Each structure stands twice: as structure tokens, then as C-alpha cells.
Amino acid sequence: MPANLPCPPWPPSQQYVGREMLNGGGTLERGECQRRWSGRQSIRFQNIDRKHCVKIVALNVIRHCYSMLSLPMWIISSVKVGVLHSLKERFDEALTRNDVKAIVVTGAKGKFSGGFDITTFGGIQEGRVAAPKRGFVAVDILTDTVEAARKPSVAAVDGLALGGGLEVAMACHARISTPNAQLGLPELQLGVIPGFGGTQHLPRLVGLLKALEMMLTSKPIKGVEAQSLGLVDAVVPADQLLNTARQWALDILERRKPWVASLYRTDNLDPLGDALKILNFARSQAQKHSPNLKHPLVCIDVVEEGVVAGPRAGLWKEADAFEELLRSDTCKSLVISSLLNVELQRSLELPTALVLSNYPVILKEVNENFLLAGIGRVKANLQSRVKKGNMTQEKFEKALSLLKGVLDYEGFGDVDMVIEAVIENVSLKQQIFSDLERYCPPHCILASNTSTIDLNLVGEKTQSQDRIVGAHFLVQHMLCCC
């Protein structure tokens, strides 16, 4: 069993770009037309060869691609509520068409999905976006439409399949991926749990212990490992992905491959007594690592409900828990933090943002090579602005003059704030904060970039707990604002 179960950050989502669709008569024509759909535009039709009657549903833009196969292709790089509505519509359409025998779910240019669009979380929390009805995604769409479909579906995964993207893939009857595809459920980094059925599907595909580890650590795995665990059925090169998925779907139809609804599998679940021991172990680790966080324990409770009472009961408990956690203060704070992280990436790193705001910054590193690389990156960030015409040479030189690099704490005697941004290692952070307490003035705010470690634990070996705060950013240096 793993020694601990931390919760690292979730990478920011992208956005889908549009939709393409069949015309009203069910045939395809050349040409282009546009219409509004969930705030996005773009529809394109092309000719089609209907040889094998496999419908390809790609996640993000719907388009009719065809080499030897017929298909509307629709794409998701990040999942929005409107995209999920369309997924149900496309599946419903495929099930009623006699010329469609099987379905492949994929993404733009073979890529899959980075997860649910977190801006939608913020919209729901602020009342700007209507929340889907209880169980609409996990039960109505993915379980009762996709997984229960009388035509087989195969997910073709390249790039990212994270969060809601992986949950869509797990609802399909098989999954084919590329070797370097990344698959995971990182929702806990936003203060929620997997809400599209992931808490019930993943344990039945990879086993209870590995599923808990993947969810509670938020760490993705690559395609090769996913195959060894049973999360994907085959791993192929990217240029063979769609053809393999198409053939796999037809093989399922012809019963040459198993037709598996993973939600109802039990072969990977431990006997009940052993499962309860694993769940209790996970609880103890979560409480030890993050004693003030509720959502890791809720995730374990929801998984347990499915193990004890069955997957359908687990889905409904998941839906209720997701809705409650989505509106929690923890989730609201983490969503804001994640959106700020996106903005920080756009502004090219925290030290750059600080000197651009006329704050003197001390950048401390552990050795000269790392220090020179950090200063060089800030300099490159500023030069990029000059090249783009967003900054004059004079302002560039002034901003760069505000940055000072050091290898020790001697210059920390008059700073007003320190932001620690080292790796997620408790003992390392504790040592750093002990050092900072000695070198920094009593009024200095001591901030940690940690996203997973309890701040009380970070400051446990200091007498300065009252001035230690969290400040989560996407940079890996220690910074001082003077």
C-alpha cells in the first residue's frame, strides 16, 4: 500500500472550438455553413464513404471525416455542459441510424480531453451558469446513454484524458491509447471529487487500491501503464490510433472482442473485507496528510458506497457529494487559485509579474546554475514583451534592474514578504521556514506555494505560525518581495 496519498495540482483546461453536424436529410454535402451553438460557431460538411458504418464522435468540433468510414467527428479539449448535451444527442442519433453500426469517441487531430472547463465551475458558483440537474452527466448521459448503448463505442485516446475526459472514455466499451497519452482524475485539486462516474468506473477497471491512489494523488498515468493496469485495452502509435479503434469497435460488434460495461465489472474489486481495510487505510492517510480537508474523505466515502451498495448507488452518492463540494469554500478558493494560475502563466511567471509591477524581487536558488537559469527566464520573458511592442527598452531595463539573484539568506533582513515555491516535500519546507524565521524581520509575511500540504505542518518547527500563509503559484523558485 502507498505510504501517503497527496493531492497535486490539476493542469488548467482548454476550450472546445465548435461543431459540425449532419444536414437535416441525413446526407452530407460539400460547403460550409455556420450557426450559433453554446456560444461557439463553425460547421463544415464533406463527402463520405460509408464502407464500414462506424460513427466517429470526436470531442470539440463535430465534423464528418471519412476515409473508408462514415462519421461525424466531434471534439472536446475541455468539457463544457453544452458539449455533454451534444454528446447525448450524437449518441441518440447514432442509435437510431441503421447505417451506423459502432461509435468511436476521439478528439481534435486525435487528441482527447483535458477535463471539465473550470470556468464553468466558477460560473455555477457565481450563479452565472445553470448547474446540470442531479445525475444528468454521470447517470443520464454516460451510464444510460453511452454505456447502455446497443451499439459498441470505443474511445481513441491521445494527448490528455483527464477528469471528465477520462470519465467519458471509461463509459465507452473499450479504450485504445497512444503510449504517451496521459490519463487521470485530478478533480481533488479543485476541492471536488470526480463527478461524471469516475469514482465508480476507475476501481472496477484498475482495482480499488490503484484507483484510490490515482484519485487522491491526482497524478496521471501514461498509456503503457494504463494498459498494464487494465484502464486501456491496447496501446498503439498515434498514426494507427483511429484505425485500430474503428476495427476494435467492429470486432466488438461481431463479438470478436468483449463487449464490456465497466461500471458493472466486479473482477477487479477486492473481497468486501479486504476492500474495507483498503478504504480505511486510505482514510487514515488522507487525515494524516490533509487533516483540514473534507473532500478527500468524501471521495473515499463515495467509492465505498459503490463497493458496498453497488455502482448505481455509488453514482447517486457521487452526484450529491459533487454538488455539495462544488459550492464549498474550499472549491471556490481552489477554482479562483487555478484561474489565477492561468493568468500567471499568461503573464509569464510570478517574478516577471512582480518586477513589471515595480516590486523589487530577490530570487534565491540552491546553486548558481539554477539561479542563472531563473534570471535568464525572467529576462527572456521581459525581452519577449519588448519584441512584441508591449514594452519599451527603457522599461525593460528598469524592470530587470529590480531583480536580484542570491544563493543565501543574507539579503532577507528587510524584506516584507517571502514566497516559498520548492517541491512538495514537508521536511524541506519545514527547514526553509525555520531558516526564514531566523533571517527575516518579525513583520515579514511568510508564504508557501504548496497546494497539498497543511500550512500548520509547514510551520510546525517555527514560532511564526501566525504569519505563515498560502500563496499558490506555478513557479519553482523562492521569491522575496522587498
Side-chain angles (χ1 to χ4, degrees), residues 374-419:
I375 293 174
R377 183 171 178 180
V378 175
K379 183 176 180 180
N381 293 341
L382 295 172
Q383 287 174 329
S384 174
R385 288 174 170 262
V386 175
K387 290 178 181 178
K388 293 176 181 177
N390 296 327
M391 174 184 283
T392 65
Q393 184 65 27
E394 180 182 358
K395 288 185 177 180
F396 163 79
E397 293 172 358
K398 179 182 178 182
L400 193 60
S401 71
L402 294 172
L403 181 67
K404 177 184 177 182
V406 300
L407 296 175
D408 55 40
Y409 293 104
E410 295 302 327
F412 283 44
D414 60 352
V415 300
D416 297 313
M417 183 176 185
V418 177
I419 302 174

Side-chain angles (χ1 to χ4, degrees), residues 10 113-116 161-168 170 183-187 196:
W10 185 13
S113 169
F116 196 81
L162 301 175
L166 179 57
E167 288 171 298
V168 170
M170 289 192 294
L183 304 94
L185 295 177
E187 286 87 345
F196 295 171

